[in-house]
Amino acid sequence: AEYFPIDMKRPEGVIDKWELTLEDYIHEAVRNSDSTYREVHMPASSPAAKLTVRNRESGEVASGWVCAGNASQVFMLLDLDPTYCVAMTRPEPKRFVSDIDVMTQDGKKGHTLLEVNKPYKAGHWMLYQYGYDNEAGKLSTYSAIELVYDPWLWAVYIGIFMVAAGSVCMLWIGNKRKGGAK
């Protein structure tokens, strides 16, 4: 498998014996008919690209839409010959955010936008988002959230500081004793 990135600034590329030209790209597309797409801003939309592909050896030209599809839309391929076709990979989200409300046992309430690598602290609890429904993509209806309870975290930090301070003191005091023994 070879990949051709979709970029309207660089709409042409070559893969093996095929010259690809990106004619049109719709980030949020819905199938309009059997062979066309239109822009519709809705959760079930999917990226679609219109391509013209020319075989450099035979001069054959193929043109049509490719679409990654999702749970609501069927994917669309562009057949080039009996062996090759052009397909679009499913898009990966750049960011997945969960809008959550948190209530602790003591009645405190909190609200946050929880993201991967941006945990939320509620008392001694840390909430981490570590997943979502990958198959559904942007249609995902759930997030996987990990809760970690660590009431002794401050004690660990104090211990690390004490070890670091002790190491510095040993280097300083040990250096003075060595110098005084001469």
Side-chain angles (χ1 to χ4, degrees), residues 101-149:
D101 292 316
V102 179
M103 184 162 39
T104 61
Q105 276 185 322
D106 56 357
K108 292 181 183 175
K109 294 181 182 181
H111 177 84
T112 189
L113 296 174
L114 192 62
E115 294 182 63
V116 174
N117 296 329
K118 293 184 180 177
Y120 177 74
K121 184 170 176 57
H124 294 297
W125 290 88
M126 291 293 284
L127 283 75
Y128 298 91
Q129 176 174 307
Y130 71 90
Y132 63 97
D133 185 0
N134 294 352
E135 287 296 314
K138 70 178 182 176
L139 298 174
S140 176
T141 58
Y142 72 84
S143 292
I145 297 173
E146 180 179 25
L147 286 88
V148 177
Y149 181 70

